[in-house]
Amino acid sequence: LSYVSREFLKEDKHPIKPDEQFKIFREYRNALQQLNNQNGQLTMEQSEQLISAKNEYRKLVKYCIQDAELVMKLFEFHNIYFN
């Protein structure tokens, strides 16, 4: 998708590799589980980890949204429509 988007749309994707995507997801999930296990009572360090995990997860969400948008733009660029 990155190559095709650059070639036809002159747009590039956010550079998040698959292994990094899974790492971000795992860290966010673990931070949320920790929050649930402690009934919302976190230490300062745990709170900072949660904030960091949220920020990284936002990057992952933006990456996923961008993927979907690039596919839609490519369909429009090539006049591909489905009923």
Side-chain angles (χ1 to χ4, degrees), residues 14-31:
H14 298 293
I16 303 178
K17 297 182 192 278
D19 57 333
E20 189 179 351
Q21 294 173 29
F22 288 108
K23 179 180 176 236
I24 290 169
F25 178 76
R26 274 192 310 273
E27 288 176 0
Y28 184 63
R29 182 191 61 203
N30 292 342

Side-chain angles (χ1 to χ4, degrees), residues 1 5 9 11 13 66-74:
L1 183 57
S5 297
L9 304 174
E11 290 186 40
K13 293 174 37 167
Q66 184 187 38
D67 266 12
E69 288 175 338
L70 287 173
V71 170
M72 291 170 48
K73 288 178 180 181
L74 284 166

Side-chain angles (χ1 to χ4, degrees), residues 31-44 46-47 50:
L32 289 178
Q33 285 175 342
Q34 193 171 43
L35 179 65
N36 287 335
N37 292 340
Q38 296 184 1
N39 296 321
Q41 301 296 319
L42 298 178
T43 65
M44 183 63 96
Q46 291 168 329
S47 182
L50 177 60

Side-chain angles (χ1 to χ4, degrees), residues 71-83:
V71 170
M72 291 170 48
K73 288 178 180 181
L74 284 166
F75 280 6
E76 289 173 3
F77 181 85
H78 291 289
N79 294 318
I80 298 172
Y81 301 98
F82 297 97
N83 289 332

